[in-house]
């Protein structure tokens, strides 16, 4: 016996007919999405923004910096241990809150200890610690994604996910802006200690919230936790559609993921200082992300997730061409270069933020609430493959092609995912 769609939370059925007004953006659920989004994004951007800037400032080879993308390996395999998070719980805290608190506290300690090492003498230790941070971050993502899917109704998924993604993106301002500015004035050891403290809002949120409601009984054993989620996904619409969905999830963010993999080294190569990057590029991204998050939430409610994938997908592909234009200018001198940097980063933050909001909402509605952690982890693991393996090659590609051609390649790689939209998210089919 098969089901055509994932199980819909009971309260969602009554919530969908009436579209929520603007006040629901300030509800408890939406504020939780913002706080957990920030906590979820921070470790990733520490690895991909702050770590690369630190290594570049210590004269580590660009090819080696590109290979550091491989520390994101846990993001592509988190579905392997996600059944453990569906199966086991912690006394007093519960299943979702328990795993969140443990991973957040361990992340705080791991990030804070990063500055005790030197890229010149302890590169191996830094690689191992970065891998540990990636593992803990991926584990935190598993449980936060599951919590958000179970907390929100289907009617809230679009707006809740848009706010979550916006906060996720905004978390880059800590390692990508504040920490870079601080690194020009204080030691890297102090920089990592300050950066780690930004995990505390997530810890506080975890302590204050309550467990989400259960949809069915939790798995009774590990076999059920592993087998049932995959069986349900395959049986839902058959093998062929399941493979199309998985291919789409793999390809949709491939182009923009590669384009931003070496963003900070790219800006440094153009001649921008770390303070300029922190103040100009990241602040341009801040306001664009805020605008994109607000517009994305409203747009997804008006158009639905399917049409959002089409519209936002086009915008995020076009944003890649902005990097190509910046690379073509080639010299970071004069006021115009600074303005162009801000414009390119603003467009990227706005467009990719919109695309990520629709993409993440699509993944959420594709999961069955009975098997949230495992199915969500499977889909997001697949989405992380480009970021981990393809991004690891970006340093070599740039070395052979130069920045301009590299960004044109990234633009071309953004198109295959769009070509699958008629099959996995038809324009005329309304999702809500």
């Amino acid at each position: 016996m098969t089901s055509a769609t994932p199980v819909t939370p009971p309260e969602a059925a009554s919530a969908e007919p009436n579209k929520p007004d603007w006040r629901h953006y300030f509800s408890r659920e939406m504020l939780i999405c913002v706080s957990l989004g920030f906590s979820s994004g921070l470790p990733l951007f520490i690895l991909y923004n702050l770590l690369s800037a630190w290594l570049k400032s210590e004269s580590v080879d660009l090819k080696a910096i590109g290979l550091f993308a491989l520390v994101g390996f846990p993001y592509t395999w988190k579905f392997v241990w996600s059944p453990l998070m569906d199966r086991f719980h912690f006394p007093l805290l519960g299943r979702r809150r328990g795993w969140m608190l443990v991973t957040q506290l361990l992340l705080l300690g791991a990030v804070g200890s990063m500055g005790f090492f030197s890229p010149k003498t302890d590169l191996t230790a830094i690689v191992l610690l970065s891998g540990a941070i990636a593992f803990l971050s991926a584990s935190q993502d598993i449980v936060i994604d599951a919590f958000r899917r179970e907390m929100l109704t289907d009617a809230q998924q679009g707006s809740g996910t848009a706010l979550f993604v916006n906060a996720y993106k905004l978390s880059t301002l800590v390692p990508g802006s504040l920490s870079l500015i601080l690194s020009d004035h204080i030691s890297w050891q102090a920089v990592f200690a300050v950066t780690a403290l930004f995990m505390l809002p997530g810890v506080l949120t975890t302590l204050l919230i309550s467990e989400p409601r259960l949809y069915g009984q939790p798995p009774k054993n590990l076999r059920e936790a592993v087998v049932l989620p995959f069986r349900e996904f395959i049986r839902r619409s058959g093998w062929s559609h399941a493979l199309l969905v998985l291919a789409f999830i793999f390809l949709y963010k491939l182009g923009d993921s590669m384009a931003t993999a070496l963003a900070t080294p790219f800006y440094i190569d153009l001649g921008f200082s770390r303070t300029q990057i922190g103040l100009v590029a990241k602040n341009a991204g801040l306001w664009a992300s805020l605008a994109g998050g607000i517009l994305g939430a409203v747009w997804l409610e008006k158009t639905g997730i399917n049409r959002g994938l089409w519209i936002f997908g086009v915008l995020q592909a076009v944003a890649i061409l902005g990097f190509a234009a910046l690379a073509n200018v080639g010299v970071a001198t004069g006021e115009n270069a600074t303005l162009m940097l801000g414009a390119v980063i603003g467009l990227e933050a706005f467009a990719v933020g919109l695309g990520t909001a629709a993409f993440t909402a699509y993944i959420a509605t594709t999961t069955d609430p009975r098997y949230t952690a495992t199915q969500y982890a499977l889909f997001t693991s697949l989405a992380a493959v480009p970021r981990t393996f393809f991004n690891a090659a970006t340093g070599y590609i740039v070395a052979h092609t130069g920045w301009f051609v590299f960004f044109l390649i990234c633009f071309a790689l953004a198109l295959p995912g769009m070509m699958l939209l008629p099959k996995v998210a038809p324009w005329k089919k309304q999702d809500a």
Side-chain angles (χ1 to χ4, degrees):
M1 182 176 179
T2 62
S3 56
T5 57
V7 171
T8 301
E11 66 270 28
S14 60
E16 288 178 9
N18 298 317
K19 292 290 184 181
D21 61 25
W22 62 269
R23 287 171 294 186
H24 87 288
Y25 292 113
F26 300 95
S27 67
R28 175 179 174 274
E29 290 80 8
M30 297 298 123
L31 293 177
I32 291 174
C33 286
V34 171
S35 179
L36 293 183
F38 186 91
S39 181
S40 182
L42 184 64
L44 177 68
F45 291 120
I46 288 172
L47 292 174
Y48 287 95
N49 285 5
L50 184 59
L51 184 63
S52 62
W54 181 36
L55 297 176
K56 181 70 175 178
S57 69
E58 296 293 325
S59 302
V60 176
D61 182 70
L62 186 62
K63 294 180 180 178
I65 296 175
L67 287 175
F68 259 82
L70 290 174
V71 303
F73 189 78
Y75 289 100
T76 68
W77 288 94
K78 59 185 179 181
F79 65 90
V80 172
W81 65 92
S82 60
L84 296 174
M85 296 182 162
D86 267 338
R87 171 66 183 88
F88 298 106
H89 69 279
F90 289 82
L92 302 179
L93 290 170
R95 186 170 57 156
R96 303 308 185 202
R97 293 174 63 237
W99 284 109
M100 276 196 284
L101 184 62
V102 168
T103 54
Q104 288 166 347
L105 291 177
L106 290 176
L107 279 167
L108 193 155
V111 172
S113 64
M114 181 75 80
F116 288 97
F117 300 94
S118 168
K120 294 180 180 178
T121 59
D122 306 310
L123 197 58
T124 300
I126 292 173
V127 170
L128 294 175
L129 185 57
S130 298
I133 292 173
F135 174 80
L136 293 169
S137 177
S139 300
Q140 181 192 216
D141 287 351
I142 292 171
V143 66
I144 286 180
D145 288 338
F147 179 91
R148 190 180 73 254
R149 173 63 174 117
E150 294 165 357
M151 176 186 67
L152 300 177
T153 67
D154 276 1
Q156 294 173 319
Q157 290 296 334
S159 54
T161 300
L163 292 177
F164 176 89
V165 169
N166 199 41
Y168 189 103
K169 294 276 291 182
L170 288 177
S171 68
T172 190
L173 293 176
V174 176
S177 180
L178 175 62
S179 299
L180 289 180
I181 296 170
L182 290 176
S183 70
D184 276 337
H185 304 284
I186 62 177
S187 69
W188 281 106
Q189 182 176 335
V191 167
F192 279 104
V194 171
T195 305
L197 292 177
F198 281 87
M199 287 299 301
L200 289 177
V203 172
L204 181 61
T205 299
T206 301
L207 293 172
L208 292 176
I209 61 179
S210 56
E211 280 284 285
R213 62 159 295 170
L214 287 174
Y215 299 99
Q217 292 298 316
K220 298 181 178 63
N221 50 56
L222 274 179
R223 182 182 179 279
E224 286 191 2
V226 172
V227 174
L228 294 181
F230 295 97
R231 179 185 296 170
E232 187 280 331
F233 174 60
I234 298 301
R235 288 183 174 180
R236 190 186 307 163
S237 299
W239 270 102
S240 60
H241 186 74
L243 291 175
L244 280 175
V245 169
L246 294 178
F248 170 73
I249 290 172
F250 175 83
L251 292 169
Y252 188 71
K253 300 291 292 180
L254 175 60
D256 73 80
S257 176
M258 289 183 63
T260 56
L262 295 175
T264 302
F266 169 55
Y267 306 144
I268 293 175
D269 269 359
L270 290 180
F272 293 101
S273 69
R274 295 196 299 273
T275 296
Q276 280 180 301
I277 297 169
L279 290 175
V280 179
K282 303 306 178 181
N283 279 320
L286 166 63
W287 298 111
S289 292
L290 287 173
I294 295 171
L295 180 59
V298 174
W299 207 335
L300 285 175
E301 286 184 354
K302 299 293 184 182
T303 67
I305 296 170
N306 283 12
R307 293 185 179 182
L309 288 169
W310 287 74
I311 299 168
F312 302 162
V314 170
L315 292 176
Q316 72 180 8
V318 171
I320 298 173
L321 296 178
F323 287 108
L326 189 62
N328 196 43
V329 172
V331 181
T333 57
E335 183 180 350
N336 289 338
T338 304
L339 291 174
M340 187 173 183
L341 175 67
V344 168
I345 297 305
L347 175 62
E348 185 274 335
F350 181 77
V352 177
L354 291 174
T356 303
F359 182 58
T360 309
Y362 170 81
I363 290 177
T365 56
T366 304
T367 61
D368 188 312
R370 294 172 296 179
Y371 315 112
T372 313
T374 301
Q375 287 188 352
Y376 215 118
L378 171 64
F379 300 146
T380 53
S381 292
L382 191 61
V385 169
R387 187 174 65 219
T388 301
F389 295 102
F390 284 78
N391 289 6
T394 53
Y396 290 89
I397 297 174
V398 171
H400 286 87
T401 66
W403 289 109
F404 178 72
V405 175
F406 167 72
F407 289 122
L408 293 182
I409 293 172
C410 293
F411 172 76
L413 291 174
L415 302 179
M418 294 291 296
M419 295 171 65
L420 291 176
L421 282 172
K423 293 290 186 181
V424 300
W427 175 269
K428 293 183 178 180
K429 180 181 178 181
Q430 294 301 305
D431 40 76

